[in-house]
């Protein structure tokens, strides 16, 4: 099995081995991968992969592609002409453009999806929620394959108390002795960061030693922003700042910015709160669960039917209101035994569903020669 991706400053080697997987990293020109839009990056990686196969005269029997633009369709037709089986990985739940009527946006998405099923031999999805969505379009279940988001339990694992204290000190939170509630992801409206901060306003006075930490960039990547998204983000940030200004204890909320080591922030924390509105899956959820964190979640659009387990047993579920989110967080803050129970149950389920061996087995079966 091979993976084709881009060279970065963190991974500059053109080729490495990870167990039995060969990873090819292509040099991206004329500018670094981090400064490219997703479409530009996909096209560069696809061109590099095709050139490598042609130079060797050896083509794979199955290719799984992450991301699609119509500019790439010509490459995929070339793949199919060479007998390559094409699988498209769908990782994002549909979000319809706000400047279009919802019915038109939905129709546009439906037509695009139906056309994609003609080009690709199969679709991989993260969860049962995707299967239900695409089966509703009449797509055959034979074309849909659930490949869960993989979680490495070597990286994402619980920390003992001594290690947790050391992590806090190393990450710049050595002054915090009380419970830490962590949010992981871009601080944007879609991920419910404003809901969580509004909930915190109801909590902070009653828990003076507790701290809420937003781990992630304050807004989406610049290359992902359209003009409408930029306006939306500016509006969100004004509202978010307004909530920050209402805090009785401003030091009880911290924002780290983007990080390269999310596992360390999970492992130093006590609770994970993620009141998102829309996700493809929300990969940070099984990662947090694997670290043994009890999770407070909202049933966002795209929420899996079974993969995260049962509410009340494997996670706590809240409504999309600050009061409901605050109540769930307070339930965990008030009881160390409840934190331990939900955290242990969530970890056990996450490793069973999202653990690397299980996901690798499903992926290997999908990519087998037919």
């Amino acid at each position: 099995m091979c993976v084709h991706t881009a060279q970065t400053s963190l991974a500059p080697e053109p080729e490495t081995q990870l167990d039995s997987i060969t990873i090819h990293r292509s040099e991206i020109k004329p500018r670094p991968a981090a400064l490219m839009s997703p479409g530009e990056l996909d096209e560069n990686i696809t061109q590099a992969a095709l050139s490598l196969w042609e130079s060797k005269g050896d083509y794979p029997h199955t290719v799984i592609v992450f991301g699609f633009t119509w500019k790439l369709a010509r490459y995929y037709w070339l793949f199919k002409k060479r007998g390559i089986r094409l699988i498209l990985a769908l990782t994002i739940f549909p979000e319809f453009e706000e400047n279009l009527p919802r019915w038109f946006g939905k129709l546009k998405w439906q037509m695009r999806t139906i056309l994609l099923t003609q080009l690709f031999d199969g679709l991989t999805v993260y969860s049962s929620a995707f299967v239900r969505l695409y089966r509703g379009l009449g797509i055959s279940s034979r074309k849909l394959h659930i490949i869960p988001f993989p979680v490495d339990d070597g990286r994402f694992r619980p920390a003992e108390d001594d290690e947790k204290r050391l992590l806090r000190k190393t990450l710049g939170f050595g002054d915090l002795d009380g419970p830490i509630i962590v949010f992981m992801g871009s601080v944007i409206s879609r991920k419910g960061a404003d809901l969580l901060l509004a909930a915190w306003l109801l909590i902070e006075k009653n828990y003076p030693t507790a701290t809420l930490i937003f781990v992630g960039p304050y807004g989406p990547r610049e290359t992902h922003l359209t003009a409408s998204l930029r306006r939306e983000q500016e509006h969100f940030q004004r509202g978010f700042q307004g909530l920050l200004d209402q805090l009785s204890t401003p030091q009880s909320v911290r924002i780290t910015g983007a990080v390269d080591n999310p596992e360390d922030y999970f492992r130093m924390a006590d609770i994970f709160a993620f009141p998102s509105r829309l996700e493809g899956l929300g990969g940070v959820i099984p990662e947090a669960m694997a670290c043994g964190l009890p999770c407070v979640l909202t049933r966002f659009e795209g929420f899996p039917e079974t993969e995260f387990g049962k509410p009340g047993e494997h996670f706590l579920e809240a409504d999309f209101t600050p009061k409901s989110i605050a109540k769930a967080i307070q339930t965990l803050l008030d009881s160390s035994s409840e934190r331990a129970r939900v955290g242990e149950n969530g970890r056990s389920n996450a490793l069973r569903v999202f653990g690397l061996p299980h996901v690798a087995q499903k992926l290997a079966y999908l990519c087998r020669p037919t």
Side-chain angles (χ1 to χ4, degrees):
M1 186 181 295
C2 295
V3 173
H4 289 269
T5 186
Q7 287 181 353
T8 67
S9 58
L10 295 175
E13 305 88 354
E15 183 174 306
T16 55
Q17 288 288 137
L18 179 63
D19 296 329
S20 60
I21 300 173
T22 302
I23 301 175
H24 296 285
R25 296 187 180 90
S26 304
E27 183 180 1
I28 301 300
K29 298 177 180 179
R31 54 202 177 112
L35 299 180
M36 286 189 169
S37 69
E40 287 179 290
L41 188 57
D42 289 341
E43 186 170 8
N44 272 268
I45 292 171
T46 304
Q47 285 177 333
L50 185 59
S51 297
L52 179 66
W53 299 333
E54 288 178 339
S55 68
K56 293 183 175 182
D58 184 20
Y59 297 92
H61 55 76
T62 301
V63 170
I64 301 177
V65 298
F66 288 78
F68 175 84
T69 64
W70 291 111
K71 285 179 67 176
L72 292 174
R74 59 194 175 101
Y75 294 106
Y76 298 151
W77 283 119
L78 286 174
F79 291 178
K80 288 183 75 82
K81 284 177 66 176
R82 288 167 172 77
I84 297 173
R85 181 167 168 252
L86 271 179
I87 307 289
L88 175 63
L90 296 170
T91 60
I92 300 174
F93 222 69
E95 183 176 16
F96 306 120
E97 301 168 55
E98 291 191 358
N99 60 333
L100 295 174
R102 184 172 176 83
W103 68 266
F104 184 77
K106 189 173 183 180
L107 178 63
K108 183 179 172 183
W109 166 76
Q110 289 174 336
M111 294 301 296
R112 178 181 185 272
T113 303
I114 291 169
L115 285 171
L116 287 178
T117 61
Q118 303 305 308
L119 175 60
F120 289 91
D121 300 294
L123 307 171
T124 70
V125 294
Y126 275 152
S127 73
S128 51
F130 279 90
V131 172
R132 185 179 69 250
L133 178 72
Y134 289 108
R135 287 289 291 121
L137 291 180
I139 296 173
S140 168
S141 57
R142 292 193 301 272
K143 275 203 167 188
L144 295 166
H145 310 274
I146 296 179
I147 304 293
F149 181 89
V151 175
D152 180 358
D153 68 340
R155 284 181 64 197
F156 296 93
R157 64 189 192 281
E160 299 295 336
D161 289 344
D162 288 346
E163 189 178 6
K164 186 176 287 191
R165 282 191 290 270
L166 180 60
L167 281 169
R168 290 186 180 190
K169 184 176 180 181
T170 303
L171 296 171
F173 301 107
D175 58 317
L176 303 181
D177 293 325
I180 290 178
I181 297 87
V182 69
F183 166 98
M184 184 74 65
S186 295
V187 182
I188 57 177
S189 175
R190 178 173 67 79
K191 292 185 179 290
D194 53 332
L195 289 174
L196 180 55
L197 184 54
W200 190 251
L201 289 172
L202 304 175
I203 295 174
E204 55 160 342
K205 291 180 182 178
N206 297 325
Y207 300 89
T209 64
T211 305
L212 171 62
I213 301 179
F214 289 91
V215 181
Y218 195 9
R221 269 176 49 185
E222 188 65 25
T223 51
H224 290 203
L225 283 178
T226 61
S228 62
L229 279 176
R230 185 173 286 106
R231 288 193 297 271
E232 178 186 321
Q233 182 61 19
E234 289 170 354
H235 175 75
F236 166 81
Q237 287 182 330
R238 285 194 296 272
F240 195 82
Q241 185 59 52
L243 292 171
L244 288 172
D245 293 340
Q246 295 177 45
L247 288 167
S248 300
T249 51
Q251 68 274 17
S252 71
V253 174
R254 306 193 186 182
I255 304 173
T256 67
V259 302
D260 295 323
N261 52 336
E263 66 275 17
D264 290 339
Y265 290 84
F266 283 135
R267 300 180 71 232
M268 74 158 188
D270 301 284
I271 297 168
F272 176 64
F274 194 64
S276 185
R277 295 177 168 100
L278 172 74
E279 295 290 331
L281 176 85
V284 293
I285 296 171
E287 289 175 346
M289 287 178 168
C291 290
L293 288 184
C295 298
V296 173
L297 308 175
T298 47
R299 195 165 288 271
F300 50 77
E301 192 170 354
F303 197 90
E305 295 171 359
T306 59
E307 283 83 350
F308 291 156
K310 298 178 181 178
E313 183 176 345
H314 301 99
F315 62 92
L316 297 191
E317 184 178 342
D319 298 332
F320 289 97
T321 62
K323 185 177 179 180
S324 178
I325 296 164
K327 182 179 179 181
I329 293 173
Q330 286 174 301
T331 297
L332 295 172
L333 285 172
D334 289 340
S335 173
S336 59
S337 61
E338 183 69 355
R339 291 199 299 273
R341 181 188 71 83
V342 177
E344 289 168 7
N345 289 345
R347 172 172 164 77
S348 176
N349 182 72
L351 296 186
R352 179 181 63 83
V353 177
F354 302 97
L356 274 180
H358 173 67
V359 177
Q361 187 178 34
K362 291 178 74 75
L363 192 58
Y365 182 79
L366 175 63
C367 294
R368 73 195 187 284
T370 55

